[in-house]
Amino acid sequence: MNYQKRIKKLQGKLRRKKVDALLVSKPENRQYLCGYRGGDHGINETSGLLLVPAKGKVHLLTDFRFKLQAEQEVPWAETVIYPKGALKLLGRLLPDLAVTSLAFESHYTLHSFAERMTATLAKKRIKLVPTDGLVEAMRVIKDEEEIALIRSAVRLNEEVFTEIHSTLADYPTEIDVALAIETTMRRKGAERPSFDTIVASGANGALPHAVPGSSRVKKNGSLTIDMGLILDGYCSDMTRNLVAGKPSKRYRKLHRLVRKAQLAGAAAVRAGVRGCDADKAARDIIADAGYGDYFGHSLGHGVGLAVHEEPRLSSRSKKKLKAGMIVTVEPGIYIPGWGGIRLENMYVVREDGCENLNSDSTWLDI
Ligand code: ZN
Ligand code: ZN
């Protein structure tokens, strides 16, 4: 990855905003800018803060636990350890670097930390400038190197799905299926799942974010599997539905309807189209068939270093899609007491359409 190029681009943005530096706290943003893979273990714990000055050297502030990792992963940055907390270090370091205005990620900073930071920096006459989405705006367009990594993450996810699908009879309950998926991911080289695997049998399928439990995968019963993994830092996300045995007439009809909506949504995805237009293309198919009330979530989301990121394909999303964005298209129908069906693929937005990152080998014609 060309981190220097990304840093340079961000530094240009900071100069245009007339701030001396940006403190990057969101893990995916840190990773995007410098390749640092330290993770945060909770909302008030950090494995490091990246200080990007408008001009000059990037500093990675962290604590003893991550010192070696930071030095190994980001050898070109100045790693600085804070033995007494990040604020104390900032209070000392910022005046040394002649920073008088510090931008921070207001959408990813606890209010209590921002208050303490304001108090500490006021003593040094440093102004805090809240920003929202500076790095995210860069992350939303993927370069071909990133697209290739995401393609590999999608392929591996499909490989895992195919393996589990062919041995499904070995896993009697939802949790057995989920465990098999997640161990297979790790065994095949994924870092970890990109989110908690969703396995919903029968009526549980009506919950879009069902938590796998001890429910048995019944004979002639349905199963919705939503799974994703992280490979080389990048995420995949895919949903498929299975029937153990013979599907009911209604199940078959609705599965075909959801697939029709999925294909209509994908056909609408191209550069220049608004997120809400793609959403509408799929939603109209489901609504026209009389199931509009049973499709209560948006059509899709961006995927990259995070499994849910910009852009959104929703009725409220008026922003136009741009080439290089990666989105899911995942319509669904959820009927309480009966079950649910969702189909999800990932696409690269191109100037003249979109590229399906999934192969058709995992489409199950029910
Ligand atoms: Zn998704
Ligand atoms: Zn999903």
Side-chain angles (χ1 to χ4, degrees), residues 237 301 308 328 330 344:
D237 187 5
H301 54 87
H308 285 172
T328 68
E330 49 178 310
E344 177 180 27

Side-chain angles (χ1 to χ4, degrees), residues 189-203:
E191 283 162 40
R192 56 190 156 91
S194 51
F195 57 92
D196 288 337
T197 306
I198 297 169
V199 178
S201 66

Side-chain angles (χ1 to χ4, degrees), residues 227-239:
M227 55 190 277
L229 53 79
I230 304 181
L231 182 65
D232 293 323
Y234 282 85
C235 297
S236 55
D237 187 5
M238 173 179 91
T239 310

